Amino acid sequence: MSQFKITKAKLVATILALFVSFSLPTFASEGLTPEKQEKEEVDMKKLIFGHISDAYDWHITTIDGHHISIPLLCIVKGQNGWDLFCSSKLGHEGHYTEYNGYRIAEEGEPNAGKIIEVSTGERPLDISITKNVLSLLMSCALLLAIFLSIANKYKKNNRTRPTGLQALLEPLIISLHDDIIKPSIGKNYKKFSSYLLTAFFFIFLNNLLGIIPIFPGGANLTGNIAITLVLAVITFLLTNIFGTKEYWKEIFWPEVPAWLKVPIPIMPFIELIGIFTKPFALCIRLFANMFAGHVMVLVLIGLIFVFSSTLGTAVGGAVSVFSVLLVVFMSLLECLVCFIQAYVFTMLSAIFIGLAQVEPHHSK
């Protein structure tokens, strides 16, 4: 028992050390050296949104004023046609440069942080490989690698005892399939199982990658409303394209008193609005929860530098202990939230699709 307690204490200490090692230097890399902390006011907005917003490069850290980042591919179409170049040609935050008629808009300008044309100040057609796009590609590749390897094990021999990732994921897949998808949708569940399982693991994996402070983690993918919107739109399309005749009948001619349908279609209008509010709720719920979680962790880390710059290093040191403990707690809580948000999105999507598979009502 004592050995278990020691091991448990070591695990907690390791987590603390990792978070201090990776999170704090990342914030300090924004120019908050001990010498500057007492002279400059900390810009929390810049620190927080600089970490969770999309970018044309993947910033790792800054050492002695030298930015260490992974340059990404910029693909734009302006007045002179298509251009393809490395993001390092445009410089980095605070030291942007012009290249081939393009530059990145500074803070305070329209389209701040985006590539614009120098001559017009307008945005070109931009399909660049940004930080979020690269994170998306990596997470998709990781998902394919995981599940194709598991599928190959089943093909070779499905009678052996599952091991490794197969043993870890098989109970989760069965639970999602048998406890959520099948009872929520009904007899047509097989048609939608692949999408719902893919959506769950895609969201869950990217949620986890988002709370890892170092590359290849740290991208705020599921905290980006564009990503959650696409997932919600897919659920919306599956729900309504494969909806039964009875489903559409309940929308445009529900079983309510006639005066609620004619001459003013009150209930059909309400039901029609409900078609769009369901995917909207899916989109906002996932985006808001993951975005807020990232902001909370970054705010707690930023408090260390705020107190150090305003009240001195001694107070900042005392606050740092409290902040780091809260950050570790919030990060462990975020791990649970990562699963819950993926679970809720999958469950609600299955329920919405199941409601569209309603069969005709037969009177006894």
Side-chain angles (χ1 to χ4, degrees), residues 50-325:
H51 282 78
I52 62 178
S53 59
D54 202 4
Y56 291 99
D57 62 351
W58 199 311
H59 184 266
I60 306 299
T61 188
T62 302
I63 300 176
D64 294 330
H66 178 66
H67 291 270
I68 299 174
S69 60
I70 301 172
L72 303 176
L73 190 63
C74 296
I75 309 170
V76 294
K77 183 183 180 182
Q79 294 179 334
N80 299 323
W82 288 99
D83 273 295
L84 188 149
F85 52 89
C86 186
S87 64
S88 59
K89 300 288 186 181
L90 298 174
H92 53 82
E93 187 177 358
H95 299 86
Y96 291 133
T97 58
E98 296 181 11
Y99 176 77
N100 208 20
Y102 299 102
R103 68 181 179 88
I104 296 179
E106 299 280 357
E107 187 177 353
E109 292 185 273
N111 303 312
K114 303 296 182 182
I115 293 177
I116 59 173
E117 294 187 72
V118 176
S119 58
T120 63
E122 301 294 329
R123 288 196 65 190
L125 177 62
D126 190 349
I127 56 170
S128 303
I129 307 297
T130 61
K131 180 180 178 180
N132 282 345
V133 174
L134 179 60
S135 178
L136 176 64
L137 295 174
M138 290 191 300
S139 64
C140 289
L142 184 57
L143 279 176
L144 284 172
I146 291 172
F147 285 101
L148 287 178
S149 65
I150 293 175
N152 288 331
K153 288 184 179 180
Y154 280 112
K155 284 182 180 180
K156 291 178 181 178
N157 191 349
N158 60 358
R159 295 183 179 181
T160 59
R161 182 180 177 183
T163 57
L165 281 175
Q166 184 182 2
L168 177 65
L169 297 179
E170 185 178 290
L172 180 57
I173 294 171
I174 293 173
S175 176
L176 290 170
H177 186 270
D178 294 346
D179 298 336
I180 297 178
I181 298 173
K182 192 172 180 179
S184 297
I185 297 177
K187 66 179 184 180
N188 296 324
Y189 71 92
K190 290 183 180 179
K191 190 185 298 184
F192 308 100
S193 294
S194 299
Y195 162 68
L196 292 170
L197 288 171
T198 302
F200 172 83
F201 284 104
F202 174 81
I203 295 170
F204 186 39
L205 177 63
N206 282 289
N207 286 350
L208 289 176
L209 288 175
I211 62 175
I212 298 174
I214 58 171
F215 181 83
N220 187 31
L221 197 63
T222 47
N224 187 318
I225 198 167
I227 299 295
T228 61
L229 178 62
V230 170
L231 291 171
V233 167
I234 295 173
T235 298
F236 170 80
L237 293 175
L238 289 176
T239 301
N240 295 286
I241 290 174
F242 294 98
T244 62
K245 292 181 180 180
E246 190 67 22
Y247 166 71
W248 289 107
K249 180 183 175 182
E250 290 182 353
I251 291 173
F252 292 106
W253 197 257
E255 295 182 1
V256 295
W259 62 272
L260 290 173
K261 296 181 283 188
V262 290
I264 302 175
I266 299 175
M267 285 305 297
F269 177 75
I270 293 174
E271 292 289 346
L272 194 61
I273 292 296
I275 293 177
F276 298 97
T277 55
K278 292 172 185 175
F280 179 77
L282 280 178
C283 170
I284 297 300
R285 178 183 285 107
L286 178 58
F287 158 73
N289 280 281
M290 299 316 301
F291 182 84
H294 289 295
V295 171
M296 281 298 298
V297 171
L298 292 171
V299 166
L300 289 172
I301 297 174
L303 286 177
I304 299 171
F305 301 99
V306 170
F307 278 94
S308 295
S309 61
T310 56
L311 300 177
T313 307
V315 176
V319 172
S320 65
V321 177
F322 180 69
S323 292
V324 169
L325 289 174

